[in-house]
């Protein structure tokens, strides 16, 4: 099996960078709201500021989860358990690892 460490590090780093950008966006939305005297809950022209922050936060949490999954997979590479199902210890198929390099379970156990 080819060492997936570079791909996992890239996945982790990109996810963390995205989370940082989203946090900055969330802070900008909050700052914009503080400086404005608007009733965004009743604005007929679009979504509310609270909704926008909620959407940004959901995407940010997803990015942080992806980074954590990549970090966990890197730990499995380091300890020699990468590519083995955490439930049944069978080898995780190459195609599955290609599609989802952070996979913890073989396709049978994931189903």
């Amino acid at each position: 099996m080819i060492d997936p460490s570079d791909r996992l590090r890239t996945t982790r780093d990109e996810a963390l960078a995205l989370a940082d950008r989203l946090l900055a966006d969330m802070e900008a939305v909050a700052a914009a709201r503080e400086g404005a005297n608007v009733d965004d809950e009743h604005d007929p022209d679009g979504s509310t500021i609270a909704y926008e922050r909620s959407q940004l936060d959901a995407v940010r949490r997803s990015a942080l989860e992806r980074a954590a999954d990549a970090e966990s997979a890197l730990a499995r590479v380091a300890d020699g358990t990468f590519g083995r199902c955490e439930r049944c210890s069978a080898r995780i198929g190459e195609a599955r690892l290609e599609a989802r390099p952070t996979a913890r379970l073989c396709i049978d156990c994931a189903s």
Side-chain angles (χ1 to χ4, degrees):
M1 180 184 307
I2 297 171
D3 182 2
S5 297
D6 288 340
R7 183 174 176 195
L8 291 167
R9 277 191 285 276
T10 299
T11 298
R12 178 199 58 203
D13 295 347
E14 288 175 353
L16 289 173
L18 175 60
D20 287 345
R21 286 192 308 273
L22 290 167
L23 180 59
D25 289 348
M26 289 170 58
E27 290 169 350
V29 168
R33 182 176 183 157
E34 287 176 14
N37 187 14
V38 295
D39 179 11
D40 71 317
E41 295 299 322
H42 299 95
D43 181 2
D45 293 327
S47 62
T48 66
I49 292 172
Y51 176 78
E52 289 177 27
R53 280 196 70 188
S54 176
Q55 291 294 94
L56 289 170
D57 186 50
V59 176
R60 182 175 180 270
R61 283 192 317 260
S62 177
L64 290 172
E65 185 176 315
R66 191 167 53 254
D69 287 346
E71 190 64 39
S72 177
L74 284 166
R76 292 191 305 277
V77 169
D79 72 14
T81 61
F82 181 83
R84 290 268 177 205
C85 178
E86 290 183 354
R87 187 172 296 152
C88 72
S89 298
R91 280 222 157 274
I92 298 173
E94 293 290 328
R96 178 161 171 76
L97 288 173
E98 181 64 32
R100 187 170 178 191
T102 60
R104 295 172 175 258
L105 302 174
C106 67
I107 197 72
D108 290 336
C109 290
S111 298

